[in-house]
Amino acid sequence: MRAEIQNTVAEIEKSLELLAQRMDWETAQHRLEEFNARVEDPNLWDDPEAAQKLMRDRQMLVDAMETYESIKRDLSDNVEMIELGEMEDDAEVVKDAEDALKTLAAKAAKKELEALLDGEADGNDTFLEINAGAGGTESCDWAGMLARMYVRWAEKKGYKVELQSESAGEEAGIKSATYKISGPNAYGWLKSESGVHRLVRISPFDSAAKRHTSFSSVWVYPVVDDNIEIEVNPADIRIDTYRSSGAGGQHVNTTDSAVRITHHPTGIVVTSSEKSQHQNRDIAMKALKSRLYQMELDRRNAAINEAHENKGDAGWGNQIRSYVLQPYQMVKDLRTNHETSDTKGVLDGDLDGFMAATLALDVSGKSRAEAQG
C-alpha cells in the first residue's frame, strides 16, 4: 500500500477513534436499548415536549452509531480491495479503492467535526435574531437577504423554521426578525454566526448605481430545555400586550394578542406575535430564559463566545464576515480567513464551510486575534 494511502487510512482511523470517544461507544448499545424501552411506554406522549426530546436524543444516538459502523465497514472493505488488487496486480481495482478511501476520509473528517458539537447547549434548538444596522432601506434589504440565507440553510439541513416575530422595513426588507430553528445541533452550528455581517454591492435603490456598504447584526442563542433551569423573578419583568398586525380587511387581528416582555436588570426585550396571547406569553418567556442562559454561557466561556461579546454596533470595525458583490465576488470570514467566490451559493444557504471553519477554530482554543494574526 502506498504511503499516501497509508496516511489516509490513519486519518480515517483517527476520526473513528474520536467518534467512538464522543458517543461513548462502549455504552452506546446499552443506551439505545434503554431508549427503545422508553419509546414503548404507552404513556410516553402524555408529555409531548419530553417525548419529542426523547425521540430526538434517540435518533441522534442511532445516527452516530450508524455513521461509525458505516465508516468502519467501508474502511475495512476498501483496504481489503487494495490488498487483493495488489496481490492480483489489478491496477484498476487498486485505484478505485484508493479513490473511495479518499472520499471516505473527507466524510470521516466532516463527521469528526460534527462530533465536536458537544458544548453544553450545542444539541439544542436555537433562536436566530436579525437586526438591520444604520442605513435605512439598504440595511433593511440586507437584513431580509440574511433572513432568507439562514432559512434556506436550515431547510437544506432538514430543520424546522418558525418565524417568532418580524418588523418590516418601510420600503424593503426587514428591520428585525426572530426565528426559532429546531433540529439536531441547531445551536451548535449557528452559534458561530453571531456578529455583524457587512455587504458591499451596487445599490438597487440608488438611481446613480453607486456602490453601497450595509451592515446587519445576527444574534444566536439556544432554546432552553427542561434540563436547564433558569429562574426569572416576576418583579424583574414587565409584560405588555399590543395588537398584532393582521392581513387587513375582514381578516385583520383586532385583539391585543401580541406579547412583549422586558427584563429590567438586563434590558432584554423579547416579543411574540402568534394568534394566541397565552401561546405568546409562553414563547416570549422561553425566549427570555434562552437569552439569559446565553448571557451565562458568554460569561462562562468568553473566549469561544468572543464574537458575541465584541459584536458591538452594526457598523465598521465590528463585522465578522464581509459579503462583497461589487467590484468583485467574494465572501470572507474575518475570524478564520475562510473565503469563497461563490457569493450566490452562500446567499442561497451554503454556509457549512464557514461554520465548520469557525467551529474548528473554537475547538483549537485560538482567539479571534490569534487567528487573524
Coordinates of all heavy atoms in Angstrom, one line a residue, residues 49-92:
E49 N -43.6 17.4 24.8 CA -42.3 18.0 24.7 C -41.2 17.0 25.1 O -40.2 16.9 24.5 CB -42.2 19.3 25.5 CG -43.0 20.5 24.9 CD -42.7 21.8 25.6 OE1 -41.8 21.8 26.4 OE2 -43.4 22.7 25.4
A50 N -41.4 16.3 26.2 CA -40.5 15.3 26.7 C -40.4 14.2 25.7 O -39.2 13.7 25.5 CB -40.9 14.8 28.1
A51 N -41.5 13.8 25.1 CA -41.4 12.7 24.2 C -40.6 13.1 22.9 O -39.8 12.3 22.4 CB -42.9 12.3 23.8
Q52 N -40.8 14.3 22.5 CA -40.1 14.8 21.3 C -38.6 14.8 21.6 O -37.8 14.5 20.7 CB -40.6 16.1 20.8 CG -42.0 16.1 20.2 CD -42.6 17.5 19.9 OE1 -41.9 18.5 20.2 NE2 -43.8 17.5 19.4
K53 N -38.2 15.3 22.8 CA -36.8 15.3 23.1 C -36.2 13.9 23.2 O -35.1 13.7 22.7 CB -36.6 16.1 24.4 CG -35.2 16.2 24.8 CD -35.0 17.0 26.1 CE -33.5 17.3 26.4 NZ -32.7 16.0 26.4
L54 N -37.0 13.0 23.8 CA -36.5 11.6 23.9 C -36.3 11.0 22.5 O -35.3 10.4 22.2 CB -37.6 10.8 24.6 CG -37.3 9.3 24.6 CD1 -36.0 8.9 25.4 CD2 -38.5 8.5 25.2
M55 N -37.3 11.3 21.6 CA -37.2 10.7 20.2 C -36.0 11.4 19.5 O -35.3 10.7 18.7 CB -38.5 11.0 19.4 CG -39.7 10.3 20.0 SD -39.5 8.5 20.0 CE -39.6 8.1 18.3
R56 N -35.8 12.6 19.7 CA -34.6 13.3 19.1 C -33.3 12.8 19.6 O -32.4 12.5 18.8 CB -34.7 14.8 19.3 CG -33.7 15.6 18.6 CD -33.8 17.1 18.8 NE -33.6 17.5 20.1 CZ -33.7 18.8 20.6 NH1 -34.1 19.7 19.7 NH2 -33.5 19.1 21.8
D57 N -33.2 12.6 20.9 CA -32.0 12.1 21.5 C -31.7 10.7 21.0 O -30.5 10.3 20.7 CB -32.1 12.1 23.0 CG -32.0 13.5 23.6 OD1 -31.7 14.5 22.8 OD2 -32.4 13.7 24.8
R58 N -32.7 9.9 20.9 CA -32.6 8.5 20.4 C -32.1 8.5 19.0 O -31.2 7.8 18.6 CB -33.9 7.8 20.5 CG -33.8 6.3 20.0 CD -35.2 5.7 19.9 NE -35.1 4.4 19.2 CZ -35.0 4.1 17.9 NH1 -35.0 5.2 17.1 NH2 -34.9 2.9 17.5
Q59 N -32.7 9.4 18.2 CA -32.3 9.4 16.7 C -30.9 9.9 16.6 O -30.1 9.4 15.7 CB -33.2 10.3 16.0 CG -33.1 10.2 14.4 CD -33.3 8.8 13.9 OE1 -34.3 8.2 14.3 NE2 -32.3 8.3 13.1
M60 N -30.4 10.8 17.4 CA -29.1 11.3 17.4 C -28.1 10.2 17.7 O -27.0 10.0 17.0 CB -28.9 12.5 18.3 CG -29.5 13.8 17.9 SD -29.4 15.1 19.1 CE -27.6 15.4 19.0
L61 N -28.4 9.3 18.7 CA -27.6 8.2 19.0 C -27.6 7.2 17.9 O -26.5 6.7 17.5 CB -28.1 7.6 20.3 CG -27.3 6.3 20.8 CD1 -25.8 6.6 21.0 CD2 -27.9 5.7 22.0
V62 N -28.7 6.9 17.3 CA -28.8 5.9 16.2 C -28.0 6.4 15.0 O -27.2 5.7 14.4 CB -30.3 5.7 15.8 CG1 -30.3 5.0 14.4 CG2 -31.1 5.0 16.8
D63 N -28.1 7.7 14.7 CA -27.3 8.3 13.6 C -25.8 8.2 13.9 O -25.0 7.8 13.0 CB -27.7 9.7 13.4 CG -29.1 9.9 12.8 OD1 -29.7 8.9 12.3 OD2 -29.6 11.0 12.8
A64 N -25.4 8.5 15.1 CA -24.0 8.4 15.4 C -23.4 7.0 15.3 O -22.3 6.7 14.8 CB -23.8 8.9 16.8
M65 N -24.2 6.0 15.8 CA -23.8 4.6 15.8 C -23.7 4.1 14.3 O -22.8 3.4 13.9 CB -24.8 3.7 16.6 CG -24.7 4.0 18.1 SD -26.0 3.0 19.0 CE -25.4 1.3 18.7
E66 N -24.7 4.5 13.5 CA -24.7 4.0 12.1 C -23.6 4.7 11.3 O -23.0 4.0 10.5 CB -26.1 4.4 11.5 CG -27.2 3.5 12.0 CD -28.6 3.9 11.3 OE1 -28.6 5.0 10.6 OE2 -29.5 3.2 11.5
T67 N -23.3 5.9 11.6 CA -22.2 6.6 10.9 C -20.9 5.9 11.3 O -20.0 5.6 10.4 CB -22.1 8.1 11.4 OG1 -23.3 8.8 10.9 CG2 -20.9 8.8 10.8
Y68 N -20.6 5.6 12.6 CA -19.4 5.0 13.0 C -19.3 3.6 12.3 O -18.2 3.3 11.8 CB -19.4 4.8 14.5 CG -18.3 4.1 15.1 CD1 -17.0 4.7 15.3 CD2 -18.4 2.7 15.4 CE1 -15.9 4.0 15.8 CE2 -17.3 2.0 15.9 CZ -16.1 2.6 16.1 OH -15.1 1.9 16.6
E69 N -20.3 2.8 12.4 CA -20.3 1.5 11.8 C -20.1 1.5 10.3 O -19.3 0.7 9.7 CB -21.5 0.7 12.2 CG -21.6 0.4 13.7 CD -22.9 -0.3 14.0 OE1 -23.9 0.0 13.3 OE2 -23.0 -1.0 15.0
S70 N -20.7 2.5 9.6 CA -20.6 2.6 8.2 C -19.2 2.9 7.8 O -18.6 2.3 6.8 CB -21.6 3.6 7.7 OG -21.4 3.9 6.3
I71 N -18.6 3.9 8.5 CA -17.2 4.3 8.1 C -16.2 3.2 8.4 O -15.3 2.9 7.6 CB -16.8 5.6 8.9 CG1 -17.7 6.8 8.5 CG2 -15.3 5.9 8.7 CD1 -17.4 8.0 9.3
K72 N -16.4 2.5 9.5 CA -15.5 1.4 9.9 C -15.6 0.3 8.9 O -14.6 -0.3 8.4 CB -15.9 0.9 11.3 CG -14.9 -0.1 11.8 CD -15.3 -0.5 13.3 CE -14.2 -1.5 13.8 NZ -14.6 -1.8 15.3
R73 N -16.8 0.0 8.4 CA -17.1 -1.1 7.5 C -16.4 -0.7 6.1 O -15.8 -1.5 5.5 CB -18.6 -1.4 7.3 CG -18.9 -2.5 6.3 CD -20.4 -2.8 6.4 NE -21.2 -1.6 6.0 CZ -21.9 -1.0 6.9 NH1 -22.0 -1.3 8.2 NH2 -22.6 0.1 6.5
D74 N -16.7 0.5 5.6 CA -16.2 0.9 4.4 C -14.6 1.0 4.4 O -14.0 0.7 3.4 CB -16.7 2.3 4.0 CG -18.2 2.3 3.6 OD1 -18.7 1.2 3.4 OD2 -18.8 3.4 3.6
L75 N -14.0 1.4 5.5 CA -12.6 1.4 5.6 C -12.0 0.0 5.4 O -11.1 -0.3 4.6 CB -12.2 1.9 7.0 CG -10.7 1.9 7.3 CD1 -9.9 2.6 6.3 CD2 -10.4 2.3 8.7
S76 N -12.6 -1.0 6.2 CA -12.1 -2.4 6.1 C -12.3 -2.9 4.7 O -11.4 -3.6 4.1 CB -12.9 -3.2 7.1 OG -12.6 -4.6 7.0
D77 N -13.5 -2.7 4.0 CA -13.7 -3.2 2.7 C -12.7 -2.7 1.7 O -12.2 -3.4 0.8 CB -15.1 -2.9 2.3 CG -16.2 -3.6 3.1 OD1 -15.8 -4.6 3.8 OD2 -17.4 -3.2 3.0
N78 N -12.4 -1.4 1.7 CA -11.6 -0.8 0.7 C -10.1 -1.2 1.0 O -9.3 -1.3 0.0 CB -11.7 0.7 0.7 CG -13.0 1.2 0.0 OD1 -13.1 1.0 -1.2 ND2 -13.9 1.7 0.8
V79 N -9.7 -1.3 2.2 CA -8.3 -1.8 2.5 C -8.2 -3.2 1.9 O -7.1 -3.5 1.3 CB -8.0 -1.7 4.0 CG1 -6.7 -2.5 4.3 CG2 -7.9 -0.3 4.5
E80 N -9.2 -4.1 2.1 CA -9.1 -5.4 1.6 C -9.1 -5.4 0.1 O -8.3 -6.2 -0.5 CB -10.3 -6.2 2.1 CG -10.3 -6.6 3.6 CD -11.5 -7.4 4.0 OE1 -12.3 -7.8 3.1 OE2 -11.7 -7.6 5.2
M81 N -9.8 -4.5 -0.5 CA -9.8 -4.4 -2.0 C -8.4 -4.0 -2.5 O -8.0 -4.6 -3.5 CB -10.9 -3.4 -2.5 CG -12.3 -3.9 -2.3 SD -12.6 -5.4 -3.3 CE -12.5 -4.8 -4.9
I82 N -7.8 -3.1 -1.8 CA -6.4 -2.7 -2.3 C -5.5 -3.9 -2.1 O -4.7 -4.1 -3.0 CB -6.0 -1.5 -1.4 CG1 -6.8 -0.2 -1.8 CG2 -4.5 -1.2 -1.6 CD1 -6.4 1.0 -0.9
E83 N -5.5 -4.6 -1.0 CA -4.6 -5.7 -0.8 C -4.9 -6.8 -1.8 O -3.9 -7.4 -2.4 CB -4.8 -6.3 0.6 CG -4.4 -5.3 1.7 CD -4.7 -5.8 3.1 OE1 -5.5 -6.8 3.2 OE2 -4.2 -5.2 4.1
L84 N -6.2 -7.0 -2.2 CA -6.5 -8.0 -3.2 C -6.0 -7.6 -4.6 O -5.5 -8.4 -5.3 CB -8.0 -8.2 -3.2 CG -8.5 -9.3 -4.2 CD1 -8.0 -10.7 -3.8 CD2 -10.1 -9.3 -4.2
G85 N -6.2 -6.3 -4.9 CA -5.8 -5.8 -6.2 C -4.3 -5.8 -6.3 O -3.8 -6.1 -7.4
E86 N -3.6 -5.5 -5.3 CA -2.1 -5.6 -5.3 C -1.6 -7.0 -5.5 O -0.7 -7.3 -6.3 CB -1.5 -5.0 -4.1 CG -1.7 -3.5 -4.0 CD -1.2 -2.9 -2.7 OE1 -1.0 -3.6 -1.7 OE2 -0.9 -1.6 -2.7
M87 N -2.3 -8.0 -4.9 CA -1.9 -9.4 -5.0 C -2.1 -9.9 -6.4 O -1.3 -10.7 -7.0 CB -2.7 -10.3 -4.0 CG -2.3 -10.1 -2.6 SD -3.4 -11.0 -1.4 CE -3.3 -12.7 -2.1
E88 N -3.2 -9.4 -7.1 CA -3.6 -9.9 -8.4 C -3.1 -8.9 -9.5 O -3.4 -9.1 -10.7 CB -5.1 -10.0 -8.5 CG -5.7 -11.1 -7.6 CD -7.2 -11.2 -7.7 OE1 -7.8 -10.5 -8.5 OE2 -7.7 -12.1 -7.1
D89 N -2.3 -7.9 -9.0 CA -1.7 -6.9 -9.9 C -2.8 -6.2 -10.8 O -2.6 -6.0 -12.0 CB -0.7 -7.6 -10.8 CG 0.3 -6.5 -11.5 OD1 0.4 -5.4 -10.9 OD2 0.9 -6.8 -12.5
D90 N -3.9 -5.9 -10.2 CA -5.0 -5.2 -10.9 C -5.1 -3.8 -10.5 O -5.6 -3.4 -9.4 CB -6.4 -5.9 -10.5 CG -7.5 -5.5 -11.3 OD1 -7.5 -4.3 -11.8 OD2 -8.5 -6.2 -11.5
A91 N -4.4 -2.9 -11.3 CA -4.3 -1.5 -11.0 C -5.6 -0.8 -10.9 O -5.8 0.2 -10.1 CB -3.4 -0.8 -12.1
E92 N -6.6 -1.2 -11.7 CA -7.9 -0.5 -11.7 C -8.6 -0.7 -10.4 O -9.2 0.2 -9.9 CB -8.7 -1.1 -12.9 CG -10.1 -0.3 -13.0 CD -10.9 -0.8 -14.3 OE1 -10.3 -1.6 -15.1 OE2 -12.0 -0.4 -14.4

